[in-house]
Amino acid sequence: MRQTRQASFESGVLPSGIISLFLLYLLEIHLNYVTTPAPAVDIEALVARRAQGFSLEAPFYSSQEVFDLDIEAIFLNHWLFCAAEAEIPEAGDFVTIDIGSFSVIILRDDDEGIRAFHNVCRHRGSRLLKDPCGAIGNLVCPYHQWTYRTDGSLAFADSQPPTFDRGQFGLKSVNVRTVGGLIFICAAADAPADFEEVAGVIEPFLTHYDLKNTKVAHQIDLVEEGNWKLVMENNRECYHCDGAHPELVTAYFPLFGYSADDITPRLRPLFERYQTASANLERACAVLQFPRDERRELDTRVTGFQVSHLPLDGDGASFGPNGSAVCKKLLGSISEPSFGDVSIHMQPNSWFHILSDHAVVFRVFPVAPGKSVVRTTWLVHSDAVEGVDYDVESLTDVWRATNEQDRELVGGCQRGVSDPGYIPGPYSLVEDDVEAFANWYVNRLRAHLAV
Amino acid sequence: MRQTRQASFESGVLPSGIISLFLLYLLEIHLNYVTTPAPAVDIEALVARRAQGFSLEAPFYSSQEVFDLDIEAIFLNHWLFCAAEAEIPEAGDFVTIDIGSFSVIILRDDDEGIRAFHNVCRHRGSRLLKDPCGAIGNLVCPYHQWTYRTDGSLAFADSQPPTFDRGQFGLKSVNVRTVGGLIFICAAADAPADFEEVAGVIEPFLTHYDLKNTKVAHQIDLVEEGNWKLVMENNRECYHCDGAHPELVTAYFPLFGYSADDITPRLRPLFERYQTASANLERACAVLQFPRDERRELDTRVTGFQVSHLPLDGDGASFGPNGSAVCKKLLGSISEPSFGDVSIHMQPNSWFHILSDHAVVFRVFPVAPGKSVVRTTWLVHSDAVEGVDYDVESLTDVWRATNEQDRELVGGCQRGVSDPGYIPGPYSLVEDDVEAFANWYVNRLRAHLAV
Amino acid sequence: MRQTRQASFESGVLPSGIISLFLLYLLEIHLNYVTTPAPAVDIEALVARRAQGFSLEAPFYSSQEVFDLDIEAIFLNHWLFCAAEAEIPEAGDFVTIDIGSFSVIILRDDDEGIRAFHNVCRHRGSRLLKDPCGAIGNLVCPYHQWTYRTDGSLAFADSQPPTFDRGQFGLKSVNVRTVGGLIFICAAADAPADFEEVAGVIEPFLTHYDLKNTKVAHQIDLVEEGNWKLVMENNRECYHCDGAHPELVTAYFPLFGYSADDITPRLRPLFERYQTASANLERACAVLQFPRDERRELDTRVTGFQVSHLPLDGDGASFGPNGSAVCKKLLGSISEPSFGDVSIHMQPNSWFHILSDHAVVFRVFPVAPGKSVVRTTWLVHSDAVEGVDYDVESLTDVWRATNEQDRELVGGCQRGVSDPGYIPGPYSLVEDDVEAFANWYVNRLRAHLAV
């Protein structure tokens, strides 16, 4: 703070205030966050009066009360994608994830099974693992060396009275379930039961890609200065893509929200290109007996989700220049490079793009009312060799750029909706998935508050 | 934080703890701010028991509740000086100002008129303009390209249903009024009506300077670690000037609070110098038919203000060494260099010094209970040439130094009044304008709370 | 924040996410703190249901309400060690200490007496002294030069009305009491009376060391990312020493919590070494008529304390390699280098190690629910010459390392107990002083709340 302030003053000697103004602006962002007021909010009333067809009211994005409720009602009571199996390939490999002030360990145990535990020692509460990922033999608390087996049971605790029962002090476990190589957790005692059904729909779309047999080519955590819901809403529409995502849009057919009747003569060639690509994708799917039943159940069930399979423009293979491939080794049993994009959206916090040559998976973790972390992981075939089959830069180009562009948009939106001058505005025709997210979210709050 | 902490530790190897202690002290400032507790405050009781003649109680300076009330009752319901017309000379030029979490755009529209809008898109609430100043053709939202004309009307929004009525989604406007080249805004639906009368008193003092025909020579935003009221109170007395402002005091006659009876033999020569300067100023004013009716209505009306016209010491021209000029081109129709200082104080957040050769205008924007921004702008004649008629360093020397000295004082005062050991103390004989500010402030809160 | 975020993104181009993940992790620590929610807490209920034998519940460590109560009930109502007399040897020397948002000046007055005052001007509340230590003639407020004598009386205040009574505006004083060269303060109107009795027990242990006749060889302020109680609890057990403090453990006999019956053949040689050292210490004490009545009254009185006198391992002299001395000049009337460690623990916030060749004194100051400052001061004989009798690095090695190790442990514990997954765990057999601290703390809260 001091630094920024001094800079702001010293820059004053420049022949223009612009620099000091800009430094102030940077500071502003910080201050806006640090000083976000948390006025008492009547959440029931907020939820009750939510206006269909309009963006959510400000407190949903800026109040501490709503944030705390989101953690409890949404993040601790629903299934969350937290990691790909490829992130913990060996026994003892772990990742830790932070959801607000919750920290959860996801671990591959000695029997190659996957476990999840609260990242808190049962003695005096020390964090067990502070690194975001790594490998361990046993879980040894850094404070007093209480030692837990990879199944969470307490193996060792020094200087205890004879009455001490180790059986009472195993790690608190968290529900865990994998779907086609993707690890989901749920911290609730009774996790939503419909997840099995959803898994049953999604798994067939993943089977051919054999994601278990991939490796992490790259991973980035991006801190965004916005509420987690703004990050999700931004992900759920491409209304902003033309203006914001030059790299991304080249991969997709710019026909979002168009129906056949909307096709003007100008759009005709594009539309025909799209029809050809769709037909080719149909054929390729038939060969593999790849499922074609796309589903959109974003706000009609507890475990809201959508799965679609879109052809890509240009070469139609991947996110490389003009739709070209970014990895030479194709995933699983996919032999046709132009296999489109299997796109999966899951409530509350994840989305996935699975292509013939790589998969990129995303999840959003809330940090504070005005802060979120987006973790992006790029997966390639286990046998793909960096520098030979792929290079990290080309592999990650499009989504590194896109994420950074989205970070800017989300930050601007957080500042705007935190401004008392904000009033909810109307969704456009192409923001139906944003509204579906908002519907799902508000309905889940209603269900939680009704209990 | 981490850095400061590590530094604090590493510096421990120095043969003295002083450095680590100092780093800690810097950190302390930051922590005091970050951790300022916002205990529930009974504002009605606070306001009711305010003791005349004494500084305000601590919560007025440190509580989030009072800060939020200040934004609503004071900043959104009164006229605020926000910019000089010279800051937005051309159609499309804009500045943005931040008042707490409010952001307002001040814009010169296509008809050269001045407009003010809330800096929030009517779609999903994104900030429209993130830069503190600049120029635009239309106002295009960076998120989904909703496009507003400079009159605030919505010109374009893509992908809308046939029922969409653009007329319903123009930018929310803010009242705006200029007075002799100074731009004032008021965000209230019904802005204080007495502003017209006040403008009528002030305008004649400004006319001869023709501030519309000036340019911005320099502007600085200074972040102060203190409540906006401490910044204002500090501005409203020169009790601290002798001790704190060596550069500033040379310009003024050190006779604040003196009456003719107080003139001791020691003060006689000084007093005679003052009388001569006053007589000269009288003559110069007579020539120009310059108004002489100074007014002090700081706490006796809604739009509290004071206007005075003081002779300066030394050369009596400006803030240069020994009262010398700092710009060769005089403002407007002023031909006499030694024309004193037209000093205007306005509640809640601005003050002005207008001299023969330049004007320097100040406004305070609240950021948080313990943070404010002081924006200072130096104006010179439009035809003045940098490096020929003036140089930025000499022009700004006195007030850059003075602002920085005041920043230190205000920061020390914020830390002190946030200390539970603080109890309000008595105003001295020369702090009547501080008390007038406090009176005005408390009365405006009372009026607001009574509604 | 901005920096960290950009770094987090740019580091993304590295062939592994580890670095960006680690940066995120650093950020996380910061965010966890900045965003620590302060949910309304029913303190009475918390205190009432405290479970004996288990660590305290989360809100004791993370809530703002409890923190505010701790400042009031514990820190302002008990005697606190704040400085050694050697820190202010001359008239006019001062130190300032910060306890939450309280700042207190400890000053040696013109009569060589020691005084303590709230660090707030009686005029408009400015901080009087901003430096953590220094020397002054009078206390002159930087704002308007109100001038106080070193006895706190107001000597001068300019521009006052004839009715102004300086006698009404002296500095608010704080109780102060020295014990064998250690300065204690209490801000309460009626300070705990049993301090006299405790002082009577401790003083004889200090007399021979003549701490008044020492000088500050080094001082470090270490900011820890943990609640003050976690810092204290960490100090009150050596259960973590084997795992965390390789440097420290060499000095002590690793027999904590052992009784004679626990001595296995493997431990026999160690135990005999211990018995010899104890016998030698007995003899040395007899020669000096040094008190032998160790006392442990940590949770059985208002001014909880413990004093013990332990022999050291190896050379048995001090904290140098293999127990060797770190200063050639012995303290006071101590002539036997192997004089063990007089260890004093005081509630709520201090501990002391006094050895033949130096003393190291510690106090913890709360900053925020998740932040504390540990100030460590190393004292050597006034005549000891740096570079000849001692060098700062060897003198401070063990405790610089130990403090930094404890900082890591406390930070990990704060994050863990702030995790909703935390539940209080059982104390081991060797954590009885931790439990005594918790007992004392909870009982003091009960006493305060009962009033």
Side-chain angles (χ1 to χ4, degrees):
Chain A
M1 193 126 313
R2 184 92 173 178
Q3 276 188 329
T4 314
R5 193 181 54 235
Q6 291 181 329
S8 156
F9 180 72
E10 290 155 10
S11 67
V13 300
L14 293 166
S16 131
I18 293 303
I19 286 171
S20 57
L21 286 164
F22 182 63
L23 284 166
L24 173 69
Y25 177 66
L26 297 189
L27 182 61
E28 253 303 303
I29 296 171
H30 178 59
L31 291 177
N32 280 340
Y33 166 63
V34 171
T35 65
T36 296
V41 168
D42 180 346
I43 292 177
E44 274 80 359
L46 256 185
V47 167
R49 71 168 175 257
R50 184 249 166 158
Q52 206 80 19
F54 285 79
S55 58
L56 299 173
E57 289 184 53
F60 282 114
Y61 302 112
S62 58
S63 94
Q64 184 69 51
E65 287 94 330
V66 171
F67 180 79
D68 295 341
L69 178 63
D70 285 356
I71 297 294
E72 178 191 326
I74 304 298
F75 282 85
L76 299 183
N77 277 292
H78 292 84
W79 286 94
L80 309 174
F81 169 64
C82 61
E85 283 201 54
E87 293 177 54
I88 52 173
E90 312 282 335
D93 290 346
F94 71 85
V95 298
T96 58
I97 62 169
D98 293 307
I99 300 167
S101 53
F102 278 88
S103 178
V104 176
I105 298 167
I106 297 95
L107 178 72
R108 192 172 294 269
D109 68 24
D110 296 344
D111 310 323
E112 306 285 316
I114 291 171
R115 309 253 187 179
F117 305 107
H118 287 287
N119 187 9
V120 181
C121 183
R122 292 296 307 278
H123 174 218
R124 273 163 53 197
S126 175
R127 275 272 178 267
L128 286 165
L129 299 174
K130 70 177 192 175
D131 295 336
C133 58
I136 46 93
N138 290 314
L139 288 148
V140 182
C141 180
Y143 205 164
H144 304 95
Q145 286 68 53
W146 280 36
T147 302
Y148 305 86
R149 302 183 187 88
T150 57
D151 65 3
S153 61
L154 179 59
F156 174 75
D158 199 1
S159 304
Q160 298 303 331
T163 57
F164 182 74
D165 173 7
R166 282 204 304 274
Q168 299 304 309
F169 297 102
L171 294 179
K172 287 169 69 183
S173 67
V174 169
N175 300 303
V176 63
R177 167 82 159 85
T178 68
V179 181
L182 305 174
I183 305 169
F184 291 79
I185 64 166
C186 180
D190 51 350
D194 77 330
F195 186 72
E196 287 311 309
E197 191 183 335
V198 172
V201 175
I202 292 170
E203 201 137 26
F205 283 88
L206 299 174
T207 315
H208 292 79
Y209 295 98
D210 190 18
L211 294 180
K212 281 189 196 165
N213 190 23
T214 59
K215 67 175 183 179
V216 175
H218 194 48
Q219 186 171 74
I220 294 175
D221 280 308
L222 186 62
V223 178
E224 301 201 9
E225 306 248 357
N227 184 272
W228 69 275
K229 293 185 289 293
L230 290 180
V231 179
M232 292 306 296
E233 290 166 3
N234 176 76
N235 165 255
R236 295 297 156 91
E237 46 95 356
C238 219
Y239 188 21
H240 67 275
C241 291
D242 283 348
H245 299 319
E247 299 82 357
L248 182 64
V249 289
T250 62
Y252 292 97
F253 288 98
L255 294 166
F256 297 99
Y258 282 82
S259 74
D261 330 343
D262 305 323
I263 303 308
T264 60
R266 188 181 61 74
L267 288 174
R268 179 60 49 194
L270 167 68
F271 190 62
E272 280 160 4
R273 216 162 70 228
Y274 171 73
Q275 286 177 308
T276 312
S278 300
N280 294 340
L281 182 56
E282 283 296 342
R283 266 192 299 283
C285 288
V287 172
L288 281 179
Q289 293 172 315
F290 198 90
R292 298 305 295 151
D293 59 330
E294 303 191 326
R295 295 278 276 278
R296 182 179 185 281
E297 302 182 19
L298 289 166
D299 57 357
T300 53
R301 63 188 309 148
V302 176
T303 303
F305 80 104
Q306 173 172 35
V307 56
S308 63
H309 192 173
L310 302 170
L312 296 174
D313 201 352
D315 297 1
S318 189
F319 292 131
N322 190 37
S324 58
V326 289
C327 181
K328 291 178 185 154
K329 278 226 168 357
L330 298 192
L331 296 177
S333 55
I334 310 295
S335 54
E336 166 54 56
S338 298
F339 201 67
D341 170 21
V342 168
S343 166
I344 303 172
H345 289 183
M346 297 196 71
Q347 317 290 30
N349 74 325
S350 60
W351 62 95
F352 310 81
H353 293 286
I354 301 143
L355 296 84
S356 60
D357 62 342
H358 77 292
V360 53
V361 299
F362 308 76
R363 53 277 197 202
V364 181
F365 298 123
V367 174
K371 290 266 172 195
S372 308
V373 171
V374 176
R375 177 170 292 179
T376 306
T377 310
W378 286 263
L379 302 170
V380 297
H381 193 290
S382 316
D383 303 338
V385 179
E386 185 176 356
V388 177
D389 299 308
Y390 69 97
D391 69 274
V392 169
E393 185 132 5
S394 324
L395 174 70
T396 59
D397 257 350
V398 166
W399 280 105
R400 268 191 295 113
T402 303
N403 282 349
E404 180 63 13
Q405 291 149 358
D406 284 331
R407 190 183 60 71
E408 280 298 324
L409 296 174
V410 165
C413 211
Q414 180 70 29
R415 290 190 292 285
V417 297
S418 303
D419 186 319
Y422 163 68
I423 47 178
Y427 292 124
S428 74
L429 292 170
V430 293
E431 292 172 290
D432 48 342
D433 286 0
V434 179
E435 176 151 28
F437 170 79
N439 292 339
W440 178 87
Y441 166 74
V442 170
N443 289 333
R444 298 313 303 152
L445 287 195
R446 285 180 178 142
H448 183 82
L449 295 169
V451 175
Chain B
M1 193 131 311
R2 184 90 175 182
Q3 277 189 328
T4 315
R5 193 181 56 237
Q6 290 182 331
S8 155
F9 179 72
E10 289 156 11
S11 67
V13 301
L14 293 167
S16 131
I18 293 305
I19 286 170
S20 56
L21 286 166
F22 182 63
L23 284 166
L24 173 69
Y25 176 68
L26 296 188
L27 182 61
E28 254 301 303
I29 297 171
H30 177 60
L31 291 177
N32 281 340
Y33 165 64
V34 171
T35 64
T36 297
V41 168
D42 180 345
I43 293 176
E44 274 80 359
L46 255 185
V47 167
R49 70 169 177 258
R50 184 251 165 154
Q52 206 79 18
F54 285 79
S55 58
L56 298 172
E57 289 185 53
F60 282 114
Y61 302 113
S62 58
S63 95
Q64 185 68 51
E65 287 92 332
V66 172
F67 180 80
D68 295 341
L69 178 64
D70 285 356
I71 297 295
E72 178 190 325
I74 304 298
F75 281 86
L76 299 184
N77 278 292
H78 292 84
W79 287 94
L80 309 174
F81 169 63
C82 60
E85 282 201 55
E87 294 178 54
I88 50 172
E90 312 282 336
D93 290 347
F94 71 84
V95 298
T96 58
I97 61 168
D98 293 308
I99 301 167
S101 53
F102 278 88
S103 178
V104 176
I105 298 167
I106 296 95
L107 178 73
R108 191 172 295 268
D109 68 23
D110 297 344
D111 310 323
E112 305 284 318
I114 292 172
R115 309 252 188 181
F117 305 108
H118 286 286
N119 187 9
V120 180
C121 182
R122 290 296 307 278
H123 174 218
R124 274 163 54 198
S126 175
R127 275 268 178 269
L128 287 166
L129 299 175
K130 69 177 191 174
D131 297 335
C133 58
I136 46 93
N138 290 314
L139 288 147
V140 182
C141 180
Y143 205 164
H144 304 95
Q145 284 69 53
W146 280 35
T147 302
Y148 304 86
R149 301 184 187 88
T150 57
D151 66 3
S153 60
L154 179 60
F156 174 75
D158 199 2
S159 303
Q160 298 304 330
T163 56
F164 182 74
D165 172 7
R166 283 204 303 272
Q168 298 305 308
F169 297 101
L171 294 179
K172 288 170 68 184
S173 65
V174 169
N175 301 303
V176 64
R177 167 81 158 86
T178 69
V179 180
L182 304 175
I183 305 169
F184 292 78
I185 63 166
C186 179
D190 51 351
D194 75 331
F195 186 71
E196 288 312 308
E197 191 182 335
V198 172
V201 174
I202 293 170
E203 200 136 25
F205 282 88
L206 300 175
T207 316
H208 292 80
Y209 294 99
D210 190 17
L211 294 181
K212 280 189 196 166
N213 190 23
T214 60
K215 66 175 184 179
V216 175
H218 194 48
Q219 185 170 73
I220 294 175
D221 280 311
L222 186 62
V223 178
E224 302 200 9
E225 307 248 355
N227 184 273
W228 70 275
K229 294 185 287 294
L230 291 181
V231 179
M232 292 306 297
E233 290 166 4
N234 176 76
N235 165 255
R236 295 297 157 90
E237 46 96 355
C238 219
Y239 188 21
H240 67 275
C241 292
D242 282 349
H245 299 318
E247 299 82 357
L248 182 64
V249 289
T250 61
Y252 292 98
F253 288 97
L255 294 166
F256 297 98
Y258 282 84
S259 73
D261 330 344
D262 305 323
I263 303 309
T264 61
R266 187 180 62 73
L267 288 174
R268 179 60 52 193
L270 167 67
F271 190 62
E272 280 160 2
R273 217 162 68 230
Y274 171 74
Q275 286 177 307
T276 313
S278 301
N280 294 340
L281 182 55
E282 282 297 340
R283 267 192 298 282
C285 288
V287 172
L288 280 180
Q289 293 172 313
F290 198 90
R292 299 305 295 150
D293 59 328
E294 303 191 328
R295 297 278 277 277
R296 182 179 184 280
E297 303 182 18
L298 289 167
D299 57 357
T300 54
R301 62 188 309 147
V302 176
T303 303
F305 79 104
Q306 173 172 37
V307 56
S308 63
H309 193 174
L310 302 169
L312 296 174
D313 201 351
D315 298 0
S318 189
F319 292 131
N322 189 37
S324 59
V326 289
C327 181
K328 290 177 187 157
K329 280 228 168 355
L330 298 192
L331 296 177
S333 55
I334 310 294
S335 54
E336 165 54 56
S338 297
F339 201 67
D341 170 22
V342 167
S343 166
I344 301 173
H345 288 183
M346 297 197 71
Q347 317 292 29
N349 75 323
S350 61
W351 62 96
F352 310 82
H353 292 286
I354 301 143
L355 296 84
S356 61
D357 62 343
H358 78 292
V360 52
V361 300
F362 308 75
R363 54 277 195 203
V364 181
F365 298 124
V367 174
K371 290 265 170 194
S372 308
V373 170
V374 176
R375 178 170 292 178
T376 307
T377 309
W378 287 262
L379 301 171
V380 297
H381 192 290
S382 317
D383 303 338
V385 179
E386 185 176 355
V388 177
D389 299 308
Y390 69 97
D391 69 274
V392 168
E393 186 132 4
S394 325
L395 175 70
T396 60
D397 257 349
V398 166
W399 279 105
R400 269 191 296 114
T402 303
N403 282 348
E404 180 62 14
Q405 290 149 358
D406 285 331
R407 190 183 60 70
E408 280 298 325
L409 297 175
V410 165
C413 210
Q414 180 70 27
R415 290 190 291 284
V417 297
S418 303
D419 186 318
Y422 163 68
I423 47 178
Y427 291 124
S428 75
L429 292 171
V430 293
E431 291 172 291
D432 46 344
D433 286 0
V434 179
E435 177 151 30
F437 170 79
N439 291 340
W440 177 87
Y441 166 74
V442 170
N443 289 334
R444 298 313 303 151
L445 287 194
R446 285 180 177 141
H448 183 82
L449 294 169
V451 175
Chain C
M1 192 130 313
R2 185 93 173 178
Q3 277 188 329
T4 316
R5 191 181 56 236
Q6 289 182 331
S8 154
F9 179 72
E10 289 155 13
S11 68
V13 300
L14 292 167
S16 131
I18 294 305
I19 287 170
S20 56
L21 286 165
F22 183 65
L23 284 166
L24 173 69
Y25 177 69
L26 296 189
L27 183 62
E28 253 302 302
I29 296 171
H30 177 60
L31 291 177
N32 280 341
Y33 165 65
V34 170
T35 65
T36 297
V41 169
D42 180 345
I43 293 177
E44 274 81 358
L46 256 184
V47 167
R49 71 168 176 258
R50 185 250 165 156
Q52 206 80 18
F54 284 79
S55 59
L56 298 173
E57 289 186 53
F60 282 115
Y61 302 112
S62 58
S63 94
Q64 184 70 51
E65 287 93 331
V66 171
F67 180 79
D68 295 341
L69 178 63
D70 285 356
I71 297 294
E72 178 190 326
I74 305 298
F75 281 85
L76 299 184
N77 277 292
H78 292 84
W79 285 95
L80 309 174
F81 168 64
C82 60
E85 283 201 54
E87 293 178 55
I88 50 172
E90 311 283 336
D93 289 347
F94 71 86
V95 298
T96 58
I97 61 168
D98 292 307
I99 300 167
S101 53
F102 278 88
S103 178
V104 176
I105 299 167
I106 297 93
L107 177 73
R108 191 172 295 267
D109 69 22
D110 297 344
D111 310 323
E112 305 284 316
I114 292 172
R115 308 252 187 182
F117 305 107
H118 286 286
N119 188 8
V120 180
C121 182
R122 291 296 308 279
H123 173 216
R124 274 164 51 198
S126 175
R127 276 268 178 270
L128 286 166
L129 299 175
K130 70 175 193 175
D131 296 337
C133 58
I136 46 93
N138 290 315
L139 288 148
V140 182
C141 181
Y143 206 164
H144 303 94
Q145 285 68 53
W146 281 35
T147 301
Y148 305 86
R149 301 183 187 88
T150 57
D151 65 4
S153 61
L154 178 60
F156 174 75
D158 200 1
S159 303
Q160 298 304 331
T163 57
F164 182 74
D165 172 8
R166 281 204 305 272
Q168 298 304 309
F169 296 102
L171 294 179
K172 288 170 68 183
S173 66
V174 169
N175 300 302
V176 62
R177 168 81 159 85
T178 69
V179 181
L182 304 175
I183 305 168
F184 292 79
I185 64 166
C186 179
D190 53 349
D194 77 329
F195 186 71
E196 287 313 308
E197 191 183 334
V198 172
V201 175
I202 292 171
E203 202 137 23
F205 282 88
L206 299 175
T207 316
H208 292 79
Y209 294 99
D210 190 17
L211 295 181
K212 281 189 197 168
N213 190 24
T214 60
K215 66 174 182 180
V216 174
H218 194 48
Q219 185 171 74
I220 294 175
D221 280 309
L222 186 62
V223 178
E224 302 201 7
E225 306 248 355
N227 184 272
W228 70 276
K229 293 185 287 294
L230 290 181
V231 178
M232 293 306 296
E233 289 167 3
N234 176 76
N235 165 255
R236 296 296 157 90
E237 46 95 357
C238 218
Y239 187 22
H240 67 275
C241 292
D242 282 349
H245 300 318
E247 298 83 357
L248 181 63
V249 289
T250 61
Y252 292 97
F253 288 98
L255 293 166
F256 297 100
Y258 282 83
S259 74
D261 329 345
D262 305 322
I263 302 309
T264 61
R266 188 180 61 74
L267 288 174
R268 178 60 52 195
L270 168 66
F271 189 63
E272 280 161 2
R273 216 161 70 229
Y274 172 73
Q275 287 177 307
T276 311
S278 301
N280 294 340
L281 182 55
E282 284 296 341
R283 265 193 299 283
C285 288
V287 172
L288 281 179
Q289 294 171 313
F290 198 90
R292 298 305 294 151
D293 59 330
E294 302 191 327
R295 296 278 276 278
R296 182 180 183 280
E297 302 182 19
L298 289 166
D299 57 357
T300 54
R301 63 188 309 146
V302 175
T303 303
F305 80 105
Q306 173 171 36
V307 56
S308 62
H309 192 173
L310 301 170
L312 296 174
D313 200 353
D315 297 1
S318 189
F319 292 131
N322 189 38
S324 58
V326 290
C327 182
K328 290 177 184 156
K329 280 229 169 354
L330 298 192
L331 297 178
S333 55
I334 310 295
S335 54
E336 166 54 56
S338 297
F339 201 67
D341 170 21
V342 167
S343 167
I344 302 172
H345 288 184
M346 298 197 70
Q347 316 292 29
N349 75 323
S350 61
W351 62 96
F352 310 81
H353 292 287
I354 302 144
L355 296 84
S356 61
D357 62 342
H358 78 292
V360 53
V361 300
F362 308 76
R363 55 279 197 200
V364 181
F365 298 124
V367 174
K371 291 265 169 192
S372 307
V373 171
V374 176
R375 176 169 293 179
T376 306
T377 309
W378 287 262
L379 302 170
V380 297
H381 192 291
S382 317
D383 303 339
V385 179
E386 185 175 355
V388 177
D389 299 308
Y390 70 96
D391 68 275
V392 169
E393 185 132 5
S394 326
L395 175 70
T396 59
D397 257 349
V398 166
W399 280 105
R400 270 190 296 112
T402 302
N403 282 349
E404 179 63 13
Q405 292 149 358
D406 284 331
R407 191 183 60 70
E408 280 298 324
L409 297 174
V410 165
C413 211
Q414 179 70 27
R415 290 189 292 285
V417 297
S418 303
D419 186 317
Y422 164 69
I423 46 179
Y427 291 125
S428 74
L429 292 170
V430 293
E431 291 172 291
D432 47 343
D433 286 359
V434 179
E435 177 152 28
F437 171 79
N439 291 341
W440 177 88
Y441 166 74
V442 171
N443 289 334
R444 298 314 302 150
L445 287 194
R446 285 183 178 136
H448 183 82
L449 294 169
V451 175

